Amino acid sequence: MKKLTTSVLVVVLSSTFALVSGQKKDTVKTTEIGEVIMTGAMNRKMKLDAQTSTAAVIGKDKLVQAGAPNAIAALAGKVPGLTINKTSSSVDGTYDIKIRGSRTLTGSTSPLIVIDGVISTMTILQSLPSDAIESTTTLLGLQGAALYGSQGVNGALIVTTKKGSGSRKPRVNFNSNVEFDNVAFTPKRQQKYGQGWYGDRIHVENGSWGPAYSDPAFAGQNVAIGVPFYDVDGDGVISVNPDGDVPTEDAAASVFAPFAPRKKDNAKEFFRTGLNLNNTLSITAGSEGAYAGLTINRQDREFIVADDKLKKTSVMLNGGFKIGNLSLDGSVTYINRSVNSTDPALYTNLLQSAAEVPIVDFRNSPNPYAWTVFYQNPYWTIQNVRNTSKVDILNGTISLGYKINDHISINNNGTAQITSTDILNYNNGYNASQSVPTIVKPDGLPAPNSITSTLAQSNAINRYFYNDLMANFNYDFTKDINFKLTLGYNVQRTESKTTSVGGSGIKIPGIYQYWNLSNLTIPYNLNNRRFTDNRYAFFANMDLSYKDYLFVNATGRYENSSKLLHSDQTQDSKPSYFYYSGGVSFMPLKAFNVESEVVSRFVVKGSHTRVGNDPVTIFGIEDTVVLGQGYPFGSAGPLSFVNNQRPTNTNIRPEKITSDEVSLGLGFLKNRITLDASFYLQTTKDLITNQTTSSASGLQLTAVNVGDIRNKGMEVNLGLTPIKGTDFSWDLNLGWSINRTKVIELADGQDEVNLSTGGIAGIYAVKGEDFPQLKATAYMRDEQGRIIINPDNGNPYISNNYVSFGRVTPNYTLALNTNFKYKNFGLYAVLDYRNGGKIYSGAMAGLAFSGNLEQSADFDRTQGGYVIPNSVYMNSAGQYVENTSIKSGGESYGDLPDYYGSVYSRVGENFILSGTAFRVRELGVSYALSADAARSIGLTGLSFSVYARNPFYKFAKENRGYADPEGSFTTGNIQGLTNANQYPSTRTVGFTTTINF
């Protein structure tokens, strides 16, 4: 397949046979950029430059080149303006996707997913293998997604799966990936002080506040570490001495190790090499009037944490035919995904270990406690804390078209999707009082705590139905003017049912497979709710073209949402709303018949869009009462209903998003050089978010319209083909993007809205400031910015209010994609760079408490604390005086743990880092047999590749592996906050074999 050197269209769509609007889809040839055909919203088929809104198309070659586990991961770094962050790095990782930033505060920021012309879900897209997809089209401009209404308010990803070929002879493709995952980095931890507390070595402590590794009393010695495994002498008691030694009779049951840092990071030692096997078989066939295709994928992944596994099977069958004026397309997809994982909180426990602790030596310990009695043994956690889920997805689509005459056709597109989820989570628990043997601790330290056993089961069924009925009109008013009009009616219905129960105190461990409350001592968390969300819409799309250089598009949609419906509807709150869009694309070179050897492409676009959004919960307006706490098993009695403390305002109005966009496209030297630039301005009014209320009202939060935000940005793409020959070619693409969101107004005189709760750092919307803002507790400073301390104890003063440290989004992002090809060899790379932005590291805060923070070992702990640089104190005359001698953290080693745990750890400012990051995202080499060589062995094609994902990274200097700037613990706008429960990022090395018959 010939590659194009454009920043907007990365790869030409390959030749496929599909039925669109009742007609056979044109065979896509390798052509110049302005002639490439793309499929857009509502089965619209047009030239890329004729689109009046910015879009980016990624073909199948780019999606599969580095063996990405799904299409979402494969898109990272390939489309400027498209941001993909990982919200979970577990065995079944999840993603947060944004197109051009945020247009809402607390509503969904995820783009709409459209697969083969009908609305789908992120879950299905993530479950599809990359090599089942023909192409993805990212609708960056809001006007491109306007026809989808409020569901397209965040842009859209249009996915086209592979269809049957136009060849009568079946074509078979087998693709096999074998991958190995390893931890890329863990937080840097101090290597000077060992296990203990208050300067003493205590071998069951969770901190690194012990003696220095150079201490002559311990240096070079083998010392006992942690809780002994068994009671060797059989007396029923394992005792430990205050000095950390285990009595002789129990010595053989202990772990011993040198009192010195291990050569390899002990947290990294715990993780193993993960294995991922991903195999896809595709069979396609077709003729002039029909086609069929079958894709079967199987993925087996063993995670870097033992016993954490993912098994996924997907089967996709599609086909279509045309008889006279009637055409039919359809597909059926079945996905089965099974995940078995443990509690990721074990990563926090790993990071609390001192540098000499041999974590892997506790793998055979039967105890729930290992090197410390305060945190669970991660190996015990793996065996006794399990989270399992089984998901079955059945998705069917159908497209029926009838051509009435040469100008009028009717289409009906529909889908039905059923998702069944079965979740079982359990913790076997631990009874310390009945444990054998009993562990006797040194005086002053508590005995190990019992661990409460828990069990939770949940079953959910979700049904989604979607249907578009469209009438299409196509007329040539004159030989130069073409008019197309689509009138449609859309109806959607979502039904969900969840039945769940949980509790604590498992009577008989191991019995989890039945819904049997009798195996729980204290049942609770009963849930048996049903939800239904209905919406319908009337829509229209008009395309008007003049010759081949002027294109005009206009859309309108009238939508009704049941989420905004109230039984006592008021004038201000209506369940329906209308929105529209308009755009134009103009090509001056064609318009004025300019032929140039230098300038080969020139296109100017502009659009205006208005869309509504309804980010409120289903039944949120009507949900006036809820079940009381503890019902039906607690003290609330046989039946208890209370007023809903988090209601939705009955007069709530939908958010209104207005977008304006201008873009410019240039091509030089027959498009060997391309330049595309887009500018956009988006304004959201009547923002919906949760507003805190007075405690006297009896309410906690109320969803209301709170204000306005403005989102603006720019994207510039440069495409180059420095070398273009038969045997050797080189093309590259450089994309730059910038986005700013600013809070313009907040309701009721508010200055800010807190989007997160609790902790020493949070995400805020602040009037007049960029959004989202990272705010945290901070040091109090004088007018010169110096830290103010208390001269009596050296403790710094901490601000009463949260202080803003800037937005969490980067200043700008850069992405470079490059491909080399020499004869049958290929080399490719994807690199990206994000500049600036702020992130908060929860892992770093945990290291400060436990004494593992590098900065806490930059001074001699045995001499007490340290003088805070650039600090001052107020003298008796009320003046700030430079501090040169007053230590923070006390005068002895024994003062430091309390200082770092209760003072230093309360200052969120200490754990805020720059989000700057450079990474090589993909790197690979491929080799393909020549056509003659392949045919000589009975094949039509055979290729091999070796690749790596995330092989190299470079963070800001102060970020010593504390947090991946792309990490976030949730989706939406609460980004930039990371915690220690997120597994470390991984680097992957893989091998691919592709066989074509």
Side-chain angles (χ1 to χ4, degrees):
M1 181 182 295
K2 183 178 179 182
K3 296 181 176 63
L4 297 180
T5 59
T6 169
S7 57
V8 176
L9 182 64
V10 181
V11 179
V12 177
L13 304 185
S14 67
S15 301
T16 59
F17 180 82
L19 299 174
V20 180
S21 301
Q23 297 180 358
K24 178 181 176 181
K25 191 184 237 183
D26 295 335
T27 299
V28 181
K29 300 178 180 179
T30 306
T31 55
E32 295 301 323
I33 183 171
E35 300 175 359
V36 176
I37 303 297
M38 65 167 289
T39 300
M42 300 295 181
N43 283 338
R44 295 167 61 229
K45 186 177 68 171
M46 58 171 46
K47 300 176 183 179
L48 185 65
D49 279 350
Q51 280 272 53
T52 60
S53 184
T54 308
V57 180
I58 305 295
K60 60 182 180 182
D61 287 355
K62 300 290 185 183
L63 294 174
V64 301
Q65 65 183 13
N70 54 70
I72 298 176
L75 284 172
K78 296 185 174 72
V79 180
L82 176 66
T83 302
I84 299 177
N85 290 329
K86 261 201 167 184
T87 57
S88 170
S89 52
S90 63
V91 66
D92 189 26
T94 54
Y95 303 87
D96 175 51
I97 305 177
K98 291 184 179 66
I99 295 177
R100 291 182 170 178
S102 301
R103 285 159 287 278
T104 184
L105 291 185
T106 54
S108 171
T109 59
S110 299
L112 177 68
I113 305 299
V114 179
I115 300 177
D116 290 335
V118 295
I119 291 178
S120 189
T121 65
M122 197 77 71
T123 301
I124 289 185
L125 178 58
Q126 185 173 338
S127 299
L128 288 179
S130 298
D131 44 11
I133 296 174
E134 187 68 29
S135 68
T136 64
T137 301
T138 304
L139 300 183
L140 296 164
L142 198 57
Q143 200 258 339
L147 266 187
Y148 292 111
S150 60
Q151 292 165 287
V153 72
N154 295 312
L157 289 177
I158 311 297
V159 178
T160 302
T161 61
K162 293 180 180 179
K163 303 296 191 298
S165 66
S167 170
R168 289 181 178 272
K169 181 181 177 180
R171 296 181 179 178
V172 180
N173 174 276
F174 177 71
N175 189 75
S176 179
N177 292 332
V178 180
E179 297 180 347
F180 302 94
D181 297 327
N182 282 289
V183 172
F185 59 87
T186 54
K188 187 72 173 178
R189 293 177 289 161
Q190 63 89 7
Q191 302 283 299
K192 296 181 180 179
Y193 296 88
Q195 186 178 20
W197 210 263
Y198 299 127
D200 297 325
R201 185 180 181 277
I202 304 174
H203 73 137
V204 290
E205 270 293 355
N206 60 303
S208 297
W209 295 111
Y213 289 120
S214 59
D215 189 326
F218 297 97
Q221 298 183 25
N222 272 5
V223 295
I225 297 176
V227 178
F229 291 3
Y230 301 102
D231 173 27
V232 175
D233 61 0
D235 64 356
V237 176
I238 294 178
S239 57
V240 291
N241 296 325
D243 60 1
D245 293 332
V246 179
T248 304
E249 61 270 21
D250 290 321
S254 300
V255 170
F256 286 82
F259 188 70
R262 295 181 67 80
K263 294 181 180 180
K264 185 177 180 180
D265 184 298
N266 56 5
K268 266 191 176 182
E269 281 186 303
F270 167 80
F271 295 105
R272 63 176 189 170
T273 297
L275 175 65
N276 184 34
L277 305 177
N278 200 340
N279 298 289
T280 304
L281 175 67
S282 299
I283 304 174
T284 61
S287 63
E288 184 64 24
Y291 74 93
L294 173 66
T295 300
I296 302 174
N297 171 261
R298 172 69 180 190
Q299 181 182 5
D300 291 272
R301 186 183 185 193
E302 296 180 359
F303 194 46
I304 56 175
V305 176
D307 295 342
D308 279 18
K309 297 180 180 181
L310 163 69
K311 296 181 180 181
K312 178 170 66 68
T313 302
S314 64
V315 180
M316 179 188 300
L317 176 65
N318 55 34
F321 64 85
K322 179 181 178 183
I323 302 177
N325 292 338
L326 180 67
S327 63
L328 178 67
D329 282 275
S331 69
V332 176
T333 303
Y334 171 72
I335 299 169
N336 174 268
R337 187 175 73 248
S338 176
V339 179
N340 192 327
S341 62
T342 190
D343 185 358
L346 65 81
Y347 187 45
T348 301
N349 302 346
L350 294 175
L351 295 181
Q352 301 302 313
S353 60
E356 80 272 16
V357 174
I359 293 175
V360 293
D361 289 357
F362 289 90
R363 64 164 61 93
N364 296 320
S365 172
N367 298 324
Y369 300 98
W371 61 90
T372 174
V373 293
F374 295 101
Y375 296 137
Q376 293 177 21
N377 179 355
Y379 295 102
W380 184 91
T381 301
I382 288 174
Q383 296 176 3
N384 293 277
V385 182
R386 304 304 303 175
N387 305 308
T388 65
S389 68
K390 296 180 180 179
V391 179
D392 291 280
I393 302 173
L394 182 63
N395 186 77
T397 65
I398 188 169
S399 177
L400 182 65
Y402 184 77
K403 184 178 178 182
I404 298 176
N405 54 43
D406 292 338
H407 304 290
I408 304 174
S409 64
I410 297 176
N411 278 87
N412 191 85
N413 298 330
T415 185
Q417 182 184 123
I418 301 176
T419 303
S420 173
T421 305
D422 185 359
I423 297 175
L424 171 64
N425 302 328
Y426 64 85
N427 181 334
N428 283 328
Y430 167 74
N431 191 332
S433 63
Q434 297 179 2
S435 65
V436 178
T438 300
I439 301 170
V440 178
K441 297 281 302 303
D443 292 340
L445 288 176
N449 292 324
S450 296
I451 300 172
T452 302
S453 59
T454 59
L455 172 67
Q457 294 184 348
S458 176
N459 287 84
I461 295 289
N462 292 277
R463 299 181 179 90
Y464 175 67
F465 305 96
Y466 174 96
N467 194 82
D468 284 320
L469 178 61
M470 296 177 288
N472 308 295
F473 305 88
N474 187 342
Y475 287 92
D476 290 323
F477 290 161
T478 69
K479 67 176 182 177
D480 296 327
I481 301 176
N482 176 260
F483 171 81
K484 294 178 182 178
L485 177 67
T486 297
L487 300 177
Y489 173 72
N490 169 255
V491 60
Q492 299 178 60
R493 181 179 177 88
T494 302
E495 300 174 354
S496 62
K497 180 181 71 171
T498 301
T499 305
S500 63
V501 68
S504 61
I506 300 175
K507 298 177 182 178
I508 306 176
I511 299 181
Y512 313 119
Q513 63 267 40
Y514 304 108
W515 282 72
N516 191 347
L517 294 180
S518 62
N519 196 33
L520 292 172
T521 304
I522 307 175
Y524 56 83
N525 285 350
L526 178 68
N527 183 13
N528 186 17
R529 305 195 71 179
R530 298 169 182 254
F531 297 98
T532 302
D533 181 21
N534 293 310
R535 65 176 66 230
Y536 68 84
F538 299 94
F539 60 88
N541 179 85
M542 186 273 292
D543 288 299
L544 188 66
S545 64
Y546 178 71
K547 292 187 176 180
D548 197 27
Y549 61 77
L550 180 63
F551 302 88
V552 178
N553 172 261
T555 70
R557 185 177 176 106
Y558 176 84
E559 186 163 321
N560 188 298
S561 171
S562 66
K563 291 195 294 183
L564 299 177
L565 184 64
H566 190 272
S567 58
D568 186 22
Q569 204 66 47
T570 67
Q571 184 65 28
D572 292 334
S573 178
K574 295 181 179 179
S576 58
Y577 38 99
F578 175 78
Y579 34 79
Y580 55 85
S581 73
V584 61
S585 176
F586 177 60
M587 304 176 192
L589 295 182
K590 293 183 178 181
F592 301 110
N593 294 317
V594 176
E595 295 185 4
S596 171
E597 294 294 326
V598 177
V599 182
S600 51
R601 171 180 173 248
F602 188 7
V603 58
V604 181
K605 301 180 181 183
S607 64
H608 173 78
T609 308
R610 183 171 181 176
V611 182
N613 192 22
D614 59 348
V616 297
T617 58
I618 301 173
F619 297 146
I621 295 177
E622 294 283 0
D623 199 2
T624 56
V625 293
V626 295
L627 287 175
Q629 181 68 30
Y631 170 80
F633 304 107
S635 60
L639 183 62
S640 174
F641 287 96
V642 297
N643 288 328
N644 182 11
Q645 295 182 319
R646 298 190 174 194
T648 298
N649 191 308
T650 57
N651 295 323
I652 203 162
R653 302 179 300 278
E655 297 178 341
K656 302 179 185 67
I657 297 91
T658 302
S659 174
D660 295 291
E661 178 185 10
V662 176
S663 61
L664 172 69
L666 297 171
F668 305 93
L669 304 176
K670 297 183 179 180
N671 291 335
R672 295 282 291 274
I673 303 174
T674 61
L675 179 66
D676 292 90
S678 298
F679 311 84
Y680 58 90
L681 175 65
Q682 301 174 134
T683 302
T684 305
K685 294 185 178 296
D686 290 333
L687 282 164
I688 296 175
T689 191
N690 290 322
Q691 184 181 60
T692 56
T693 60
S694 169
S695 58
S697 67
L699 305 178
Q700 296 176 352
L701 300 169
T702 302
V704 296
N705 298 104
V706 298
D708 309 333
I709 60 173
R710 182 177 63 210
N711 177 306
K712 61 181 179 180
M714 178 180 177
E715 296 143 4
V716 179
N717 298 269
L718 175 65
L720 299 173
T721 305
I723 302 173
K724 186 177 182 180
T726 303
D727 292 334
F728 184 39
S729 64
W730 174 29
D731 64 77
L732 56 88
N733 177 272
L734 180 65
W736 174 86
S737 64
I738 182 173
N739 176 270
R740 295 287 186 274
T741 302
K742 190 172 185 178
V743 179
I744 305 302
E745 189 64 46
L746 293 174
D748 301 328
Q750 293 185 92
D751 292 325
E752 62 183 34
V753 174
N754 184 4
L755 303 186
S756 57
T757 56
I760 58 176
I763 300 299
Y764 284 74
V766 182
K767 181 179 178 180
E769 300 293 338
D770 288 342
F771 172 80
Q773 284 281 314
L774 176 58
K775 301 185 71 175
T777 54
Y779 293 108
M780 292 186 65
R781 299 174 184 268
D782 66 1
E783 293 181 352
Q784 299 181 41
R786 298 176 296 182
I787 297 173
I788 305 172
I789 68 166
N790 183 341
D792 295 332
N793 55 22
N795 289 345
Y797 289 108
I798 304 173
S799 60
N800 293 324
N801 299 318
Y802 279 28
V803 174
S804 179
F805 289 90
R807 66 177 183 281
V808 300
T809 54
N811 299 325
Y812 61 87
T813 59
L814 280 169
L816 175 66
N817 289 253
T818 185
N819 288 268
F820 297 86
K821 182 179 180 182
Y822 178 71
K823 293 185 177 180
N824 296 335
F825 289 91
L827 173 66
Y828 60 85
V830 178
L831 305 86
D832 58 41
Y833 171 75
R834 55 180 289 166
N835 177 270
K838 297 295 184 180
I839 58 175
Y840 169 83
S841 172
M844 193 178 180
L847 297 180
F849 160 78
S850 65
N852 284 298
L853 194 65
E854 268 198 319
Q855 295 91 313
S856 70
D858 286 344
F859 54 91
D860 185 354
R861 291 180 176 179
T862 62
Q863 301 301 312
Y866 62 99
V867 177
I868 297 178
N870 196 34
S871 62
V872 296
Y873 62 90
M874 182 176 289
N875 62 16
S876 58
Q879 298 174 327
Y880 287 119
V881 179
E882 182 182 1
N883 174 33
T884 59
S885 60
I886 302 175
K887 292 182 178 181
S888 296
E891 296 295 332
S892 68
Y893 196 161
D895 298 324
L896 286 173
D898 292 339
Y899 170 75
Y900 273 90
S902 60
V903 179
Y904 189 92
S905 294
R906 288 172 46 215
V907 185
E909 177 182 349
N910 290 322
F911 316 115
I912 292 178
L913 310 167
S914 168
T916 295
F918 167 78
R919 70 182 75 228
V920 177
R921 194 174 294 276
E922 295 179 0
L923 186 65
V925 179
S926 63
Y927 175 78
L929 264 65
S930 65
D932 292 339
R935 281 194 294 269
S936 68
I937 57 176
L939 303 175
T940 59
L942 177 63
S943 62
F944 309 92
S945 67
V946 180
Y947 57 85
R949 295 195 303 272
N950 199 30
F952 178 79
Y953 70 93
K954 181 66 175 177
F955 297 158
K957 183 178 180 179
E958 69 267 26
N959 185 0
R960 304 172 187 177
Y962 300 131
D964 190 328
E966 287 191 354
S968 182
F969 71 89
T970 186
T971 59
N973 288 318
I974 306 179
Q975 54 184 304
L977 301 178
T978 64
N979 56 47
N981 291 347
Q982 296 171 255
Y983 287 126
S985 298
T986 58
R987 59 168 53 98
T988 301
V989 175
F991 309 87
T992 297
T993 302
T994 302
I995 305 173
N996 297 315
F997 299 92

